[in-house]
Amino acid sequence: MSESALIAFTSLVQSDSQLREQVRQAPSPAHVVNLASEKGHVFNQATLMKLQAEKTKHLHDDHLNNASSWGEALLLCFGAHN
């Protein structure tokens, strides 16, 4: 359940520039989990970090090196970077 909620939240982030900016500025996984919960998408930090780690394996280091924050790196992992 929480993995599907995370996937739904990433879709919302891709379509909502204001939410995307909030995620970009997120200082921690807990902050993103709270943002998602406010939007009705409930998942935990472990699910977020597990899926982020899985997605990170498929990114070239140069992409992550250009991230200016933890939240920006998260957006890169989930394809919501704009």
Side-chain angles (χ1 to χ4, degrees):
M1 177 169 145
S2 62
E3 192 171 313
S4 62
L6 174 55
I7 292 167
F9 179 66
T10 60
S11 292
L12 178 61
V13 169
Q14 289 176 348
S15 66
D16 183 331
S17 61
Q18 186 176 22
L19 182 58
R20 190 168 46 251
E21 188 57 32
Q22 290 176 313
V23 171
R24 180 175 283 113
Q25 294 178 18
S28 69
H31 188 81
V32 173
V33 168
N34 289 337
L35 282 172
S37 180
E38 291 171 6
K39 300 292 184 182
H41 301 281
V42 179
F43 53 88
N44 58 35
Q45 289 182 62
T47 299
L48 174 61
M49 294 171 70
K50 182 179 107 180
L51 268 113
Q52 181 184 16
E54 182 64 33
K55 301 268 186 187
T56 300
K57 291 191 292 188
H58 303 289
L59 289 177
H60 192 277
D61 288 350
D62 289 342
H63 287 99
L64 292 173
N65 285 336
N66 292 327
S68 62
S69 66
W70 178 86
E72 180 130 358
L74 180 67
L75 292 173
L76 286 167
C77 290
F78 290 101
H81 180 349
N82 287 330

